[in-house]
Amino acid sequence: MAEFERRADWVWRQRELGSLPFGTSTPRTAEEANRYVYFRKTFELGELPTQAPVFASADGRYQLYVNGRLVGRGPARCSPAWQSMDRYELRPYLHPGRNVVAALVHSYGRNTAWYELPSWEHARAFGCGGFFLQGDVLRADGDVTVLDTDTSWRYLESSAWEREAPSGSLGFLEIYDARRAPAGWIEVEFNDSSWNTAQVLRVPGFNGSSDVVPFPVMVPRKIPQLVEEDGYPRRIVVVGEVTTAEGSEIASLFAQEILEEPATCRALNLEALISREGTCRVQTTRPRSLSVVLDFGETVVGRIFLKLLASEGSIVDFTYGERLEKDGRVHLHRGIPGFDVRPAHRLVLREGEQTFESFELAGFRYLQLTIRQAASPLEIKSVKVKKSVYPVKPQGSFDCSDPLLTLLWQTGRNTVHLCMQDGYIDCPSREQRQWLDGYLHALVNYVAFGDALLIANLLRQIGQSQRPDGITMMAAPGDFAASSFTNIPEFCLYWILAIGEYIKHVGDPTLVTELYPSVVKAVGWFERFVNHEKLLTSLPHWLFVDWAELDKRGQVTAINAQFVAALRVAASLARLAGCSGDARRFGRLSREVRAAINLHLWDGKRGVYVDARNRGVKSRRVSQQSNAAAIAFEVAPQKRWPRILATILDEKRLVLTRTGASDPNPPGLFDEESKVALAQPFYSHFLHRALSKAGFHQALLDNIRLRWGQMVAGGETTFWETWQLNPITSKCHGWSSTPTYDLSTEVLGITPSAPGFAEIQVAPRPVDLSWAKGVYPTPHGNVEIDWYRRDDRLEVSLTTPQRARFVLPEGWERLEVDGVLVGDGSAVLEPGSYQIAAQHHQRKRP
């Protein structure tokens, strides 16, 4: 049944629309590339309404205002086959008398990291671009004012943004001329009588069919609106005078213009940019300009906001990034070759006081402003970022006797939170795509925030990206999914694994009902590549595994091991869905693939699994990734674990390889007979799962301190994508945040043992710590634990809202619960608060 009954029409600018011929025709999307359109509807109210619910959406992105106040932005990223709508209550913004609802809408005319162009008849009839609002203003007397988008709305095409600006996956660079913008257009008093009447997007269908309209299926947003808060720069990095370089590309100007000591340009009260007291005044002399670099002190995600007083024609160019060049200029991040452009924008000012807010989100730490053509002093009254965050609060916590581990837990939490927008984005700076490494983001979320909505949204949207042959896309929705230029097959396996983790942590069997048919199709895609040896062989597309130089030809150990784990999850989902036949089939195949891995990919002489086997020949390359996968995904027999771990934990053997063939650094020396490829931050999650299964908890903590400690040693507040910094490396990457998950699940020892956290296991591991405490959020409430060691005695305070099984760590005995001796191993506890104690087995009994 439809979730939403549609009444309003989609509207856009006036164009020639006619009946759609049945034959071929070219989509009209290019006509609307980088077009901004203002919309307004005015109406009278005799009294305050009782309520005013509306739904809003756009083909592109919109900003919605009522009576001059921002109501919201949207829509959330979505596939055009499931167009997302935002619900708002406008009553707080309305008043008796004249009112106005206004919107700024941006159409892209191209796929972006978060947006997919429409297709089918929609694309040929209308191209792209459009605005939708449906809602009513209700009064106590029963009177209704209808706000639906139709020909009662007025519009104006904006000429303020340069439409021919460069573009990439993050949209278009903003080259904005404030002189061409209608000042005060969001206010009630603005006169829009010269604006045009909006055009309804509707044309007759084929041969008597229903009319062609945009987005036949519209779905209410399933995640909360993002919230905004102001962030301010904390220090001035450098101020310099530059000679304006040749050329019109703004990014090239920033790249060429060398900072020099100010000589002819003047800057007064620069500290006001930091203190927020007073006004900074800048005056330039041609051909010289003044550039200032500001440090926000940490990675921020949001929209740049400037408040200025200027003379007409003054220019402010700005760029931003996560790093600096040696001379203090902002490092211009290039992004993915062929997909991205360097972020550099321009603001041309009108006379007088004005504000500017960038339309698109940006992730950065440093902001560089270059002021040009300010012969009369330009006053900078405010520089800030309107930070955009997903509305979760840090319900989880972790603290322990090692301040470094406490800091690392918090850094991982912060990193993932910055990557929680209208999807689990891989990074806020380079891409902003929703990838399936959201599998790991979600695990961190479970321990830090306990949110269920964003991961459910991701799981649904990846399911919606499924191709007819069964494979899901590595990132969706967005340009990568729409273009089908490549795919990462094992990310489909992460999707299945993420559904399994969702069931463990959240429950919600309705999601299984919804997604299970797609899981069966996905498994079917992989089954086609299982050869007579019962191994996945020569999978097509991009085999990723990790940012490391692994051998991924033929039969790949890590991916086959992951397939075994995904089959087990698929079997459990089949049982939940009541499909016992599928459960048996998936279980049987998982056992067959596991046996084949142990037969064909194990090197008995060296005591490790090789990376791959191609045409019957085992690779000589060995990695932490392949061997961690074999243990973490429960493929390797336990008797093999000691030899494996002795090899892959030997620091003398480990080699930090290039991130791949595109890495500009020269390849290092790699003796395949004796060396082992080091796991990068992403795959270290599975290395840690292997260490946990083997009981190597001290090695797990040591690895966290060694690898992640190096990242925060320089004051970083987020985790990098890889151990090394390459030209396109992100410095805020959610997939690198496994320490946050590890410390909550291993040191605090809290994990779900029944779907939806109906029951938990509490198994703290003291290792070399003297105390630890924290909170783990669950759907039933927070689990609180506080343990410390005193001499050879372990004392634990535990509060659990659900049934719990407390398990003593290895080496501890004489378990006491509330002063009563209950045994040497474990105890089942009903919901409540408990005082638990044990002693180390080396302590002599009286």
Side-chain angles (χ1 to χ4, degrees):
M1 183 178 293
E3 293 186 61
F4 172 75
E5 290 199 21
R6 179 169 169 168
R7 185 184 67 200
D9 279 306
W10 282 79
V11 295
W12 196 232
R13 68 186 186 94
Q14 288 284 348
R15 292 173 296 167
E16 183 178 344
L17 300 178
S19 61
L20 191 63
F22 187 76
T24 59
S25 61
T26 303
R28 304 178 63 174
T29 51
E31 299 174 10
E32 305 308 309
N34 197 25
R35 190 184 297 278
Y36 290 83
V37 181
Y38 309 104
F39 289 94
R40 283 172 55 93
K41 179 180 177 67
T42 56
F43 55 96
E44 298 283 341
L45 291 177
E47 60 185 40
L48 277 176
T50 56
Q51 56 181 316
V54 302
F55 287 97
S57 189
D59 185 2
R61 277 181 168 172
Y62 73 84
Q63 298 173 354
L64 183 67
Y65 299 87
V66 174
N67 294 332
R69 297 165 60 190
L70 178 67
V71 176
R73 311 175 195 265
R77 68 182 67 209
C78 60
S79 162
W82 289 269
Q83 181 66 19
S84 178
M85 302 180 301
D86 303 305
R87 188 184 188 283
Y88 300 104
E89 175 52 64
L90 302 188
R91 183 182 183 278
Y93 303 89
L94 300 173
H95 54 242
R98 191 169 179 80
N99 293 263
V100 64
V101 178
L104 172 63
V105 183
H106 183 206
S107 64
Y108 293 101
R110 59 161 294 158
N111 296 316
T112 72
W114 58 81
Y115 168 79
E116 294 180 18
L117 288 165
S119 57
W120 299 93
E121 296 89 352
H122 178 166
R124 290 184 287 128
F126 314 118
C128 66
F131 177 59
F132 178 92
L133 187 140
Q134 178 172 308
D136 302 310
V137 181
L138 308 176
R139 296 209 306 261
D141 61 6
D143 194 20
V144 177
T145 300
V146 177
L147 300 180
D148 297 358
T149 41
D150 56 19
T151 55
S152 68
W153 284 69
R154 292 182 174 274
Y155 82 93
L156 175 70
E157 293 180 51
S158 177
S159 60
W161 282 270
E162 183 179 313
R163 291 191 59 209
E164 300 303 317
S167 66
S169 293
L170 296 184
F172 288 80
L173 300 184
E174 294 189 53
I175 302 175
Y176 178 83
D177 192 334
R179 299 170 297 182
R180 299 183 176 185
W185 70 274
I186 62 175
E187 304 295 340
V188 176
E189 298 80 11
F190 182 83
N191 184 357
D192 61 14
S193 60
S194 63
W195 288 23
N196 294 318
T197 299
Q199 183 179 56
V200 168
L201 299 182
R202 180 182 291 271
V203 299
F206 297 133
N207 298 328
S209 302
S210 297
D211 290 348
V212 176
V213 295
F215 307 113
V217 177
M218 299 179 66
V219 181
R221 182 183 184 124
K222 294 186 177 358
I223 56 175
Q225 280 279 341
L226 305 181
V227 296
E228 297 183 3
E229 56 188 44
D230 291 339
Y232 295 91
R234 298 181 185 177
R235 71 181 180 100
I236 298 171
V237 177
V238 64
V239 179
E241 190 170 303
V242 300
T243 300
T244 303
E246 297 292 331
S248 58
E249 185 188 15
I250 302 165
S252 295
L253 301 184
F254 279 110
Q256 296 176 59
E257 294 173 347
I258 305 301
L259 300 180
E260 303 172 5
E261 285 292 325
T264 64
C265 298
R266 292 187 299 168
L268 301 176
N269 196 25
L270 275 169
E271 288 302 316
L273 302 178
I274 309 302
S275 66
R276 290 178 270 156
E277 296 179 359
T279 298
C280 170
R281 291 178 176 82
V282 175
Q283 189 169 12
T284 65
T285 56
R286 293 190 181 188
R288 307 284 277 177
S289 302
L290 191 82
S291 194
V292 57
V293 177
L294 303 172
D295 179 8
F296 282 76
E298 60 184 358
T299 299
V300 293
V301 186
R303 295 171 178 85
I304 293 161
F305 178 92
L306 303 174
K307 185 176 182 180
L308 308 160
L309 178 64
S311 56
E312 183 173 350
S314 299
I315 292 173
V316 178
D317 289 344
F318 63 94
T319 188
Y320 40 78
E322 295 178 298
R323 302 181 232 171
L324 297 173
E325 303 289 0
K326 292 181 179 179
D327 64 355
R329 287 179 297 159
V330 167
H331 169 75
L332 285 141
H333 203 104
R334 291 183 176 273
I336 299 175
F339 282 90
D340 296 308
V341 294
R342 295 177 294 179
H345 311 269
R346 170 163 291 178
L347 171 59
V348 182
L349 302 173
R350 58 176 171 79
E351 186 76 27
E353 187 171 282
Q354 57 212 280
T355 61
F356 170 81
E357 179 183 294
S358 57
F359 191 86
E360 304 292 3
L361 283 175
F364 62 96
R365 174 172 174 171
Y366 302 99
L367 172 66
Q368 183 170 347
L369 305 173
T370 298
I371 294 92
R372 309 181 192 277
Q373 298 179 195
S376 299
L378 181 150
E379 296 186 10
I380 306 176
K381 295 177 175 291
S382 179
V383 178
K384 63 183 179 181
V385 57
K386 289 191 173 182
K387 296 194 292 185
S388 172
V389 294
Y390 185 80
V392 287
K393 294 182 178 179
Q395 296 187 60
S397 65
F398 175 86
D399 196 5
C400 73
S401 56
D402 183 346
L404 174 60
L405 294 180
T406 300
L407 174 62
L408 293 175
W409 190 95
Q410 295 167 347
T411 303
R413 178 188 64 190
N414 183 49
T415 303
V416 166
H417 195 195
L418 290 168
C419 294
M420 296 170 73
Q421 294 290 318
D422 60 348
Y424 275 114
I425 61 174
D426 65 330
C427 57
S429 58
R430 185 185 67 214
E431 290 190 50
Q432 299 180 22
R433 290 184 180 90
Q434 181 172 245
W435 290 76
L436 248 296
D437 50 68
Y439 165 80
L440 207 155
H441 296 59
L443 292 177
V444 175
N445 157 72
Y446 292 138
V447 306
F449 305 110
D451 176 71
L453 297 177
L454 197 59
I455 181 59
N457 197 60
L458 178 149
L459 296 174
R460 287 189 175 95
Q461 291 188 329
I462 295 301
Q464 292 165 2
S465 79
Q466 190 168 46
R467 296 305 191 245
D469 61 358
I471 193 69
T472 58
M473 299 305 293
M474 61 187 182
D479 50 359
F480 281 6
S483 64
S484 299
F485 87 104
T486 190
N487 199 12
I488 299 178
E490 70 262 32
F491 275 28
C492 181
L493 299 177
Y494 283 124
W495 175 65
I496 297 173
L497 294 176
I499 297 173
E501 293 294 342
Y502 179 85
I503 297 301
K504 286 183 188 176
H505 290 83
V506 180
D508 187 11
T510 59
L511 193 70
V512 175
T513 303
E514 181 180 344
L515 297 180
Y516 179 70
S518 297
V519 171
V520 174
K521 284 185 65 177
V523 172
W525 186 90
F526 286 93
E527 286 181 299
R528 299 183 192 107
F529 296 97
V530 176
N531 74 348
H532 68 282
E533 295 172 315
K534 299 298 182 181
L535 286 172
L536 291 173
T537 303
S538 300
L539 288 177
H541 310 310
W542 172 22
L543 303 189
F544 174 69
V545 183
D546 198 16
W547 277 133
E549 289 185 294
L550 310 180
D551 192 342
K552 294 174 281 188
R553 298 169 298 168
Q555 299 162 335
V556 181
T557 300
I559 296 176
N560 271 281
Q562 187 183 356
F563 184 44
V564 170
L567 284 167
R568 293 192 189 114
V569 170
S572 69
L573 297 177
R575 287 188 288 272
L576 289 172
C579 300
S580 57
D582 286 348
R584 289 191 296 271
R585 179 166 64 90
F586 297 153
R588 180 172 59 253
L589 182 56
S590 71
R591 293 188 293 272
E592 291 172 345
V593 177
R594 178 180 184 271
I597 294 171
N598 286 312
L599 177 63
H600 297 296
L601 293 162
W602 171 252
D603 185 332
K605 184 177 180 180
R606 292 191 288 175
V608 289
Y609 291 88
V610 296
D611 277 358
R613 176 173 174 262
N614 191 30
R615 297 182 179 181
V617 178
K618 292 178 184 176
S619 170
R620 303 308 296 168
R621 184 152 293 216
V622 173
S623 65
Q624 283 190 325
Q625 290 87 338
S626 297
N627 287 277
I631 298 176
F633 295 130
E634 299 181 357
V635 168
Q638 193 167 346
K639 64 183 179 181
R640 292 179 176 175
W641 294 1
R643 291 184 70 190
I644 293 171
L645 294 172
T647 300
I648 69 171
L649 296 180
D650 185 349
E651 287 290 330
K652 295 179 181 178
R653 292 176 180 263
L654 296 178
V655 176
L656 178 61
T657 67
R658 295 188 305 169
T659 57
S662 61
D663 191 328
N665 296 312
L669 297 176
F670 195 104
D671 180 358
E672 292 188 328
E673 298 303 316
S674 63
K675 299 299 182 181
V676 176
L678 176 72
Q680 289 279 7
F682 172 60
Y683 221 86
S684 291
H685 172 76
F686 301 101
L687 173 63
H688 292 177
R689 303 287 68 71
L691 296 176
S692 173
K693 288 183 182 297
F696 280 43
H697 297 101
Q698 187 61 60
L700 191 158
L701 286 196
D702 290 343
N703 197 56
I704 290 175
R705 291 177 174 121
L706 175 63
R707 311 290 178 206
W708 281 267
Q710 295 174 0
M711 285 197 201
V712 299
E716 298 286 356
T717 60
T718 54
F719 289 140
W720 306 346
E721 180 180 11
T722 54
W723 306 128
Q724 65 269 58
L725 286 178
N726 293 327
I728 69 169
T729 302
S730 157
K731 294 187 76 175
C732 177
H733 223 80
W735 77 2
S736 298
S737 300
T738 194
T740 303
Y741 176 79
D742 299 332
L743 294 169
S744 290
T745 58
E746 303 297 340
V747 174
L748 298 183
I750 301 167
T751 53
S753 55
F757 255 116
E759 295 182 2
I760 64 171
Q761 176 171 289
V762 182
R765 281 97 178 191
V767 282
D768 61 0
L769 301 173
S770 59
W771 61 268
K773 62 181 178 179
V775 175
Y776 195 129
T778 82
H780 305 279
N782 291 338
V783 179
E784 300 179 16
I785 187 169
D786 185 346
W787 63 255
Y788 65 93
R789 291 192 300 180
R790 179 178 297 169
D791 298 326
D792 290 333
R793 185 174 173 83
L794 178 67
E795 298 186 3
V796 183
S797 296
L798 174 68
T799 298
T800 174
Q802 64 269 82
R803 187 182 177 92
R805 182 178 183 84
F806 186 90
V807 180
L808 278 178
E810 185 177 353
W812 295 83
E813 60 185 359
R814 294 185 60 80
L815 177 62
E816 298 176 11
V817 178
D818 290 338
V820 177
L821 182 65
V822 297
D824 285 341
S826 64
V828 176
L829 309 174
E830 297 301 322
S833 297
Y834 299 90
Q835 296 297 317
I836 302 168
Q839 67 180 39
H840 201 273
H841 69 80
Q842 293 180 345
R843 182 178 178 181
K844 294 181 179 180
R845 298 182 182 179

